[in-house]
Amino acid sequence: MDTKQTIKVAVAGAKGRMGQEVVKMLGGDSELSFVAAIDSKLDGVDVGEIIGGKPLGVPFVRSLESALTTYKPDVLVDFTTPQTVWENMEIALQHGVRPVVGTTGLSPEQIELMSNTCRERGIGAIIAPNFAIGAILCMKFAQVAAKYMPHVEIIELHHDQKLDAPSGTAIKTAELIAEARRELRQGHPSEHESIPGARGAEYHGFRIHSVRLPGMVAHQEVLFGATGQTLSIRHDSISRESFMPGVNMAIKAVMNLDRLVYGLEHLLD
Ligand code: NAP
């Protein structure tokens, strides 16, 4: 593929933990070209200086609007914050730029609204709460198990700088489980929390627990219990590189979409 045919990619949150991995991934794929990075504090600084390598010839730009106007990317990859991502997506769509969003914390209502906007404008977008293939399999296996073992709890574990809880992956897993299992409220009807929150968050009759500790990256265990047996389905992202094949796949796939896709699993089959 010659340079004219490369997919031009801008990255919002490029100096963050995930953003830096995205920049490295883009540099290793000749079908993609990294054209812009957005950061509110590093205007004009070469991105290479921040990610600890040689200069890349791509400076950070303060405003997303001016980055999109100047560099005309095809795709905006967003790994920012739950407070920022919504506005970023709106701006990208206004400029005809396809968003690929890893930032978690968007509400179901926001995702629905964004889906409508994409449909009206005939433009593709991908929101994936988890870009790791193993995490997608963990969700799918949990959905299958929930049909046969409906007593379930989710434990998600992340690094202590994560802003939203429960994780987007846990919410998506919970949605899939709720679709598959029969209506059931778990635990003893008279159970009582001596310390509020001890039983975790309640979702459609089952519980989700969020652990935040330094040293963690992104982990999830879905625990099932039945008479005389338990089943654990666990996924561990032990480095942020684990998400990059999924991000790469999404950047390429979004070019051929005319609607919003929520969840990497829809790109796998
Ligand atoms: P992080 O290290 O805190 O990075 C977020 C970056 O976004 C920071 O550099 C921050 O800059 C920047 N930022 C904030 N507001 C911005 C704005 N308006 N414009 C441009 N940049 C802005 O967080 P992270 O660990 O990379 O995670 C980012 C998001 O990805 C989180 O929502 C996390 O849950 C999610 N995540 C998703 C996946 C997945 O597979 N989907 C995997 C891991 C993480 P400042 O520090 O200067 O504010």
Side-chain angles (χ1 to χ4, degrees):
M1 185 178 268
D2 65 34
T3 45
K4 278 190 188 143
Q5 291 171 304
T6 59
I7 301 170
K8 292 192 283 174
V9 184
V11 181
K15 93 163 191 307
R17 286 169 291 241
M18 287 296 289
Q20 293 197 26
E21 287 300 330
V22 174
V23 171
K24 288 182 211 157
M25 179 274 288
L26 294 174
D29 187 334
S30 59
E31 293 179 32
L32 308 177
S33 56
F34 171 43
V35 297
I38 298 90
D39 183 88
S40 53
K41 297 169 196 142
L42 294 170
D43 200 29
V45 176
D46 189 289
V47 177
E49 282 180 36
I50 299 301
I51 67 168
K54 54 182 184 344
L56 294 174
V58 178
F60 281 104
V61 179
R62 183 178 297 129
S63 131
L64 175 61
E65 196 102 44
S66 74
L68 300 186
T69 310
T70 308
Y71 298 100
K72 300 191 174 11
D74 302 299
V75 175
L76 174 72
V77 174
D78 190 293
F79 280 100
T80 57
T81 65
Q83 295 73 32
T84 306
V85 57
W86 173 255
E87 194 187 344
N88 281 358
M89 284 188 85
E90 282 192 320
I91 294 171
L93 291 175
Q94 279 160 18
H95 285 258
V97 177
R98 303 156 187 83
V100 167
V101 172
T103 309
T104 52
L106 284 167
S107 68
E109 294 73 28
Q110 287 178 313
I111 293 168
E112 181 66 30
L113 270 175
M114 202 48 80
S115 178
N116 293 340
T117 307
C118 289
R119 199 176 309 116
E120 281 159 21
R121 298 189 191 176
I123 186 167
I126 295 175
I127 301 174
N130 201 314
F131 279 106
I133 307 294
I136 306 304
L137 293 175
C138 174
M139 290 183 214
K140 286 197 161 215
F141 296 157
Q143 187 179 33
V144 173
K147 187 174 170 194
Y148 304 99
M149 297 180 76
H151 287 83
V152 56
E153 305 217 357
I154 299 173
I155 303 172
E156 57 93 345
L157 311 90
H158 281 80
H159 60 87
D160 63 350
Q161 298 305 301
K162 186 167 175 58
L163 295 175
D164 52 318
S167 69
T169 307
I171 294 172
K172 179 84 187 174
T173 308
E175 288 169 1
L176 293 174
I177 288 171
E179 277 172 27
R181 74 175 204 153
R182 63 184 157 81
E183 194 63 38
L184 174 70
R185 183 159 295 276
Q186 288 173 205
H188 196 286
S190 310
E191 88 179 354
H192 165 74
E193 290 179 327
S194 310
I195 300 176
R199 290 284 292 118
E202 198 270 337
Y203 181 88
H204 287 251
F206 61 99
R207 301 284 169 167
I208 307 175
H209 310 266
S210 296
V211 177
R212 296 289 176 265
L213 285 172
M216 300 274 182
V217 179
H219 317 258
Q220 175 166 285
E221 188 159 1
V222 189
L223 288 162
F224 297 88
T227 310
Q229 59 183 319
T230 63
L231 170 68
S232 301
I233 301 172
R234 180 169 174 119
H235 175 259
D236 297 276
S237 272
I238 50 180
S239 87
R240 290 180 177 82
E241 280 173 81
S242 64
F243 303 110
M244 293 307 122
V247 177
N248 184 295
M249 182 197 296
I251 292 170
K252 291 170 183 171
V254 80
M255 295 299 293
N256 298 316
L257 292 175
D258 58 4
R259 66 190 170 89
L260 184 144
V261 167
Y262 172 55
L264 194 69
E265 62 277 17
H266 300 295
L267 304 182
L268 294 179
D269 297 328

